[in-house]
Amino acid sequence: MADTNRPLEGGDALVETLARLGVKSLFSISGGPINSAYFATTRNDVRIVHVRHEAAGTFMAESVYRATGTPGAVLATLGPGVANTASAAACAMLAGVPMIIVGGQASTAALNRGAGMEMDTMSIMAPVTKWSAQVLHADRIPEIIDEAYRRMMAGTPGPVYVEIPTDVLSAEITDAASPRSPYIHASMAAPDARSVEQTREFIERAQRPLLIAGDGVYHNRAEGLLQEFVSRTGIPSGTLRLARGALDETSSENWYGPAYIPCNPVFAGALEEADLVLLLGHHWEFDLEFGDSLGKDTQVIQVHRDAAFLGRNGRADLQIHADVGPFLDALQDCGADAMDRDWQERLPRDWRAEQERLTALANRLSEGDPRPHPLQVIDAIVEAAPEDARFITSHGNVDFWADPRIEVRRPASYLRSGQSGALGAELPFAVGSALEQPDAPSILFVGDGAIGYHLAELETAARFNSPVIVVVLDDNSWGAIAMPQRMGYDVEVALELPPRDWVSMAKGLGAAGYSVALHDVGRTLKEAVGQGGPAIIHVAVRSELSPYMAHIS
Ligand SMILES: Cc1ncc(C[n+]2csc(CCOP(=O)(O)OP(=O)(O)O)c2C)c(N)n1
Ligand SMILES: [Mg+2]
């Protein structure tokens, strides 16, 4: 039994402050120097999720923001524990996803003497986080955690790092360490009146307007305003990154598909033809090909909460430094009166037609082959999945089939590593999101290559009986690299993967395991979801180059 009368320590100040900021889980691997924080969770509502690798724990923390909108938290022990979080932190930086990483350190008495496991982790974490600080007095822990939260949420969100030497973490605290003023989300930045007026004029005149909804829509929870704006004006609209699901992609009449050029030829063509592009809460990133394919006369209105991204890479004729929510709010009575009706109807229609074309192609290619086309498996899973399921994809070739195929119903229900394109994020995303929101299953599509990164986290899911369904689309290859390599070099070097027994691996880790043919995929998914805990569903598939990979290869 934990001694509740034990005096309060730095660990209590840390855990209490994090709890106040909405943290429910600390993704962590234990270590002596962070024992004080572990003990603190026995007298607080925060739980330790003891993972199998700190990188996976950091991806899980990223998934918490993606699935709930509240930043997640990592607690790592000193040296290699913290260093293991670094690559996942760098991925969250690229994706603009906030999280706090708390690291242990050698005691101040031993610091810089080469204490056991000691590393200069402040230097390791500085370039992969937005802000990092060391706490040298226990009473200052709440203050510095608060500061970390302000920094992580300001402008473009991102990870922050706070390091606490072990003697500081386990020191008794005084009253000064009680939590300070509660952290409150800063109010959103509204656009200036002149920009709103100009926007209105642009929209009212435009014949072929096009809307791209990006990350800022999610940061602002602006989906309601976006849906209202899009259905009122009828402007063809696409979603990307964190904004997937901001429009109900299964039913919106105005949705022209995911706004990624490599997988969406309808969007690619529309960018050239549009006379006005509304780029909301995003910038001209690489999957928008830096804005290079814009038509000569296309005008661009870009709205971003971070001025550093206004005009980055590509054209932005009207640059509006504002949050997306207040921007859309200011356009309540704006209509796209001059819009060409054919344009309005054509783009969503063409996207659906493109999907039907791919369905027919997949069916034709699989005739007489026992291995289905990846699309056939993806469709069977999506069709059998419960309405509230969350989907997760990785970055293999099979995932580039799944990513544009999944129609996301609501925000926070589709998770995919952002601009880093990191293999290895996907299984932790599925586990982290299912742990945080166990009422809905997390359904992951992953290849036989990427699954190897953090397979052990299936055991973490099993310990918590979390609803994580891992669909392994097995083409016996690092396919996304193999197929283009063969096209460019005539050979594949070291890219074959032998058939492995995924069912036994799942069972060995405490999960259920199934290996099935296409006709059993839907029934098996329902069974796996029904049993509640984690499962692998393994399906052998054909290697077929996805449109995305074909475009970039
Ligand atoms: C961390 C990381 N390392 C390497 C890559 C490069 N990469 C992209 S896709 C891929 C192959 C993935 O193979 P698999 O998971 O089996 O999916 P498939 O392409 O076969 O469908 C690799 C190695 C990456 N995206 N991220
Ligand atoms: Mg593969």
Side-chain angles (χ1 to χ4, degrees), residues 21 101 123 158 200 291 293 306 326 349 376 378 387 408 417 427 467:
L21 293 165
I101 300 167
S123 297
R200 199 186 303 272
S293 60
D306 186 342
R349 193 180 60 220
Q376 296 177 305
I378 293 155
E387 280 234 342
V408 187
S417 188
L427 183 57

Side-chain angles (χ1 to χ4, degrees), residues 395-399 421-423 447-450 453 475 477-481 497:
H395 274 82
N397 179 59
V398 288
D399 307 280
L423 296 184
D448 52 327
Y453 276 76
D475 62 354
S477 169
W478 296 89
I481 308 302
L497 283 165

Side-chain angles (χ1 to χ4, degrees), residues 1-9 12 39-40 42-43:
M1 250 329 249
D3 174 8
T4 43
N5 294 324
R6 198 184 156 93
L8 294 176
E9 299 179 358
D12 295 286
F39 179 76
T42 65
R43 44 188 178 189

Side-chain angles (χ1 to χ4, degrees), residues 48 51 108 201 213 216 221 317 352 409 473 519:
I48 296 283
V51 298
T108 50
E201 283 165 21
R221 313 294 176 281
D317 303 283
R352 306 265 175 229
R409 289 172 196 274
L473 298 174
H519 63 268

Side-chain angles (χ1 to χ4, degrees), residues 59 91 374 394-401 420-426 446-453 473-483 495 497 541 543-544 549:
F59 285 128
C91 293
S394 179
H395 274 82
N397 179 59
V398 288
D399 307 280
F400 283 114
W401 281 110
S420 70
L423 296 184
E426 63 295 294
V446 62
D448 52 327
I451 182 67
Y453 276 76
L473 298 174
D474 187 355
D475 62 354
N476 297 133
S477 169
W478 296 89
I481 308 302
M483 288 179 271
L495 291 167
L497 283 165
V541 295
S543 242
E544 290 290 348
M549 287 307 305

Side-chain angles (χ1 to χ4, degrees), residues 203-270:
I203 294 176
E204 278 165 3
R205 272 203 315 266
Q207 294 176 341
R208 293 178 308 285
L210 190 72
L211 187 148
I212 303 170
D215 291 342
V217 175
Y218 184 67
H219 296 315
N220 284 178
R221 313 294 176 281
E223 63 272 8
L225 287 163
L226 180 74
Q227 288 155 13
E228 197 276 322
F229 177 82
V230 170
S231 59
R232 172 163 39 83
T233 61
I235 296 176
S237 302
T239 42
L240 84 160
R241 306 276 179 221
L242 287 165
R244 287 294 300 274
L247 300 174
D248 181 347
E249 300 174 0
T250 62
S251 65
S252 169
E253 285 176 10
N254 308 100
W255 188 64
Y256 60 73
Y260 300 102
I261 290 177
C263 69
N264 187 342
V266 176
F267 172 54

